[in-house]
Coordinates of all heavy atoms in Angstrom, one line a residue:
G138 N -9.4 37.5 69.7 CA -10.2 38.7 70.1 C -11.1 39.2 68.9 O -12.2 39.5 69.1
A139 N -10.5 39.1 67.7 CA -11.3 39.6 66.5 C -12.5 38.6 66.3 O -13.6 39.1 66.0 CB -10.4 39.6 65.3
A140 N -12.2 37.3 66.4 CA -13.3 36.4 66.1 C -14.4 36.4 67.2 O -15.6 36.4 66.9 CB -12.7 34.9 66.1
V141 N -14.0 36.6 68.4 CA -15.0 36.7 69.5 C -15.8 38.0 69.3 O -17.0 38.0 69.5 CB -14.3 36.7 70.9 CG1 -15.2 37.1 72.0 CG2 -13.8 35.2 71.2
D142 N -15.1 39.1 69.0 CA -15.8 40.3 68.8 C -16.8 40.2 67.6 O -17.9 40.7 67.7 CB -14.8 41.5 68.5 CG -15.3 42.8 68.9 OD1 -16.1 42.9 69.9 OD2 -15.0 43.8 68.2
V143 N -16.4 39.6 66.5 CA -17.4 39.4 65.4 C -18.6 38.6 65.9 O -19.7 38.9 65.5 CB -16.7 38.7 64.2 CG1 -17.7 38.2 63.2 CG2 -15.7 39.7 63.5
Y144 N -18.3 37.6 66.7 CA -19.5 36.8 67.2 C -20.4 37.6 68.0 O -21.6 37.6 67.9 CB -18.9 35.6 68.0 CG -20.1 34.9 68.7 CD1 -20.9 34.0 68.1 CD2 -20.3 35.2 70.1 CE1 -22.0 33.4 68.7 CE2 -21.4 34.6 70.7 CZ -22.2 33.7 70.1 OH -23.3 33.1 70.7
R145 N -19.8 38.4 69.0 CA -20.6 39.2 69.8 C -21.4 40.3 69.1 O -22.6 40.5 69.4 CB -19.7 39.9 70.9 CG -19.1 39.0 71.9 CD -18.2 39.6 72.9 NE -18.9 40.6 73.7 CZ -18.5 41.8 74.0 NH1 -17.4 42.2 73.6 NH2 -19.3 42.6 74.7
I146 N -20.8 40.9 68.1 CA -21.5 41.9 67.2 C -22.6 41.2 66.5 O -23.7 41.7 66.4 CB -20.5 42.6 66.3 CG1 -19.4 43.4 67.1 CG2 -21.2 43.5 65.3 CD1 -18.2 43.8 66.3
G147 N -22.3 40.1 65.9 CA -23.3 39.4 65.1 C -24.5 38.9 65.9 O -25.6 39.0 65.5
D148 N -24.2 38.4 67.1 CA -25.2 38.0 68.0 C -26.1 39.2 68.4 O -27.4 39.0 68.4 CB -24.6 37.3 69.2 CG -25.7 36.8 70.2 OD1 -26.4 35.9 69.8 OD2 -25.7 37.3 71.4
S149 N -25.5 40.3 68.7 CA -26.3 41.5 69.1 C -27.1 42.0 67.9 O -28.2 42.4 68.1 CB -25.4 42.6 69.7 OG -24.6 43.1 68.7
G150 N -26.5 41.9 66.7 CA -27.3 42.3 65.5 C -28.5 41.4 65.2 O -29.5 41.9 64.9
A151 N -28.3 40.1 65.4 CA -29.4 39.2 65.2 C -30.5 39.5 66.2 O -31.7 39.4 65.9 CB -28.9 37.8 65.3
K152 N -30.1 39.7 67.4 CA -31.1 40.0 68.5 C -31.8 41.3 68.2 O -33.1 41.4 68.3 CB -30.5 40.0 69.8 CG -30.1 38.7 70.4 CD -29.4 38.8 71.7 CE -29.0 37.4 72.2 NZ -28.1 37.4 73.4
A153 N -31.1 42.3 67.7 CA -31.7 43.6 67.4 C -32.7 43.4 66.2 O -33.8 44.0 66.2 CB -30.7 44.6 67.1
A154 N -32.3 42.6 65.2 CA -33.1 42.5 64.0 C -34.3 41.5 64.2 O -35.4 41.8 63.7 CB -32.3 41.9 62.9
W155 N -34.2 40.5 65.0 CA -35.2 39.4 65.1 C -35.9 39.4 66.4 O -36.9 38.6 66.6 CB -34.5 38.1 64.8 CG -34.1 38.0 63.4 CD1 -32.8 38.2 63.0 CD2 -34.9 37.8 62.3 NE1 -32.8 38.1 61.6 CE2 -34.0 37.8 61.1 CE3 -36.2 37.6 62.1 CZ2 -34.5 37.7 59.8 CZ3 -36.7 37.4 60.8 CH2 -35.8 37.5 59.7
H156 N -35.5 40.2 67.4 CA -36.2 40.1 68.7 C -37.7 40.4 68.5 O -38.1 41.5 68.0 CB -35.6 41.1 69.7 CG -36.2 41.2 71.0 ND1 -36.0 40.2 71.9 CD2 -37.1 42.1 71.6 CE1 -36.8 40.4 73.0 NE2 -37.4 41.6 72.8
D157 N -38.5 39.5 68.9 CA -40.0 39.6 68.8 C -40.4 39.9 67.3 O -41.5 40.4 67.1 CB -40.5 40.7 69.7 CG -40.4 40.4 71.1 OD1 -40.4 39.2 71.5 OD2 -40.4 41.4 71.9
G158 N -39.6 39.5 66.4 CA -39.9 39.7 65.0 C -40.3 38.5 64.2 O -40.4 38.5 63.0
Y159 N -40.6 37.4 65.0 CA -41.0 36.2 64.3 C -41.9 35.4 65.3 O -42.0 35.7 66.5 CB -39.8 35.3 63.9 CG -39.1 34.7 65.1 CD1 -39.3 33.4 65.5 CD2 -38.2 35.4 65.8 CE1 -38.7 32.8 66.6 CE2 -37.5 34.9 66.9 CZ -37.8 33.6 67.3 OH -37.2 33.1 68.4
S160 N -42.6 34.4 64.7 CA -43.5 33.6 65.5 C -42.9 32.2 65.7 O -42.3 31.7 64.7 CB -44.8 33.4 64.8 OG -45.6 32.5 65.5
K161 N -43.0 31.7 66.9 CA -42.4 30.3 67.1 C -43.2 29.3 66.4 O -42.7 28.2 66.2 CB -42.3 30.1 68.6 CG -41.3 30.9 69.3 CD -41.1 30.7 70.8 CE -40.1 31.6 71.3 NZ -39.9 31.4 72.7
A162 N -44.4 29.6 66.1 CA -45.3 28.6 65.3 C -45.3 29.0 63.9 O -45.2 30.2 63.5 CB -46.7 28.7 65.9
A163 N -45.3 28.0 63.0 CA -45.3 28.3 61.6 C -46.6 29.0 61.2 O -47.7 28.7 61.7 CB -45.2 27.0 60.8
S164 N -46.5 30.0 60.3 CA -47.7 30.8 59.9 C -48.6 30.1 58.9 O -49.7 30.4 58.8 CB -47.2 32.1 59.3 OG -46.6 31.9 58.1
G165 N -48.0 29.1 58.2 CA -48.8 28.5 57.2 C -49.1 29.3 55.9 O -49.8 29.0 55.1
A166 N -48.4 30.5 55.9 CA -48.6 31.4 54.8 C -48.0 31.0 53.5 O -48.2 31.6 52.4 CB -48.1 32.8 55.2
D167 N -47.2 29.9 53.5 CA -46.5 29.5 52.3 C -47.3 28.6 51.4 O -46.9 28.1 50.4 CB -45.2 28.8 52.7 CG -45.3 27.6 53.5 OD1 -46.5 27.2 53.8 OD2 -44.3 26.9 53.8

Side-chain angles (χ1 to χ4, degrees):
V141 167
D142 206 33
V143 165
Y144 170 80
R145 291 178 64 223
I146 295 164
D148 182 61
S149 70
K152 286 177 181 172
W155 294 101
H156 180 73
D157 291 335
Y159 70 98
S160 172
K161 291 182 182 180
S164 66
D167 60 0

